Amino acid sequence: MSGLLHIKRFRQNMLKLFVIYLVVILSTTSVITYSRYITSMESTSYARPARFNVTIDKGDICVAGTTTCNLAKYKHYDSLDYYFSVDTSQLEVTTTIATSVIVDDHYTFSRIYEIEDEQETLINIDSNDDYSISTLAGEYRVDIERDIEAGLGDVKTYKVRLSYDGSSDVDPTYDAITVEFSAKQKD
């Protein structure tokens, strides 16, 4: 081997091999050592949650068939029209939303309309699976259930017609109708 070190060509090749060996060892060591710092600098480890906003705009209470509106509380009229809208335009996830309309026991639920482009469409609750009606302790409860795809929400406006049952004098400061909702994200 000592004779090989005296040959000029062997020494040049050996020097090249030694430099290549050194570069490979140094680059491997630096990649292993600094990889965790490099990856943590380039990305974040959190995500923004999707928007899940539903808004109910409680509209006017009107005497049915007239332009008498904006009654703050109900009075003894034969029938009242109650307008409300459900805004689901800010949903970024597929959602099932259930809107509940609860009618006071001094009134009976008469009809529900869906309003679109100023056209009222009467909803037949008995033949529509998305709507149901029930009574509990004298109160009528109308449930509206809708499935909304992510990003395809809209504003739906409804009109509920209530009929006064004439049962007794009632406190005029008490609400005739309450609108609630619950929303559940679908998988």
Side-chain angles (χ1 to χ4, degrees), residues 2 32-33 38-39 45 50 55 64 81 85 87-88 93 100 105 107 113 119 134-135 142 151 155 157 168 170 181 183:
S2 64
I32 292 171
T33 304
I38 293 169
T39 56
S45 61
T55 306
D81 290 337
S85 61
D87 183 359
T88 58
V93 292
S100 298
D105 59 354
Y107 279 83
Y113 299 89
Q119 296 291 330
S134 61
T135 57
V142 179
V155 178
T157 303
S168 64
V170 292
F181 79 93

Side-chain angles (χ1 to χ4, degrees), residues 44-130:
T44 58
S45 61
Y46 63 90
R48 180 187 67 82
R51 286 189 295 174
F52 194 72
N53 296 338
V54 177
T55 306
I56 292 186
D57 179 25
K58 297 177 182 178
D60 297 331
I61 298 176
C62 303
V63 176
T66 68
T67 57
T68 306
C69 291
N70 297 324
L71 301 170
K73 306 293 177 185
Y74 72 89
K75 305 289 184 201
H76 301 292
Y77 295 106
D78 288 335
S79 62
L80 295 176
D81 290 337
Y82 181 78
Y83 296 87
F84 69 95
S85 61
V86 181
D87 183 359
T88 58
S89 60
Q90 294 187 23
L91 289 174
E92 291 181 344
V93 292
T94 302
T95 306
T96 298
I97 181 167
T99 307
S100 298
V101 180
I102 303 166
V103 180
D104 181 65
D105 59 354
H106 294 288
Y107 279 83
T108 58
F109 169 78
S110 179
R111 295 181 176 157
I112 186 167
Y113 299 89
E114 188 175 304
I115 301 173
E116 189 171 332
D117 298 328
E118 298 183 19
Q119 296 291 330
E120 295 179 357
T121 306
L122 177 64
I123 305 299
N124 186 352
I125 294 177
D126 298 328
S127 65
N128 193 327
D129 292 338
D130 295 337

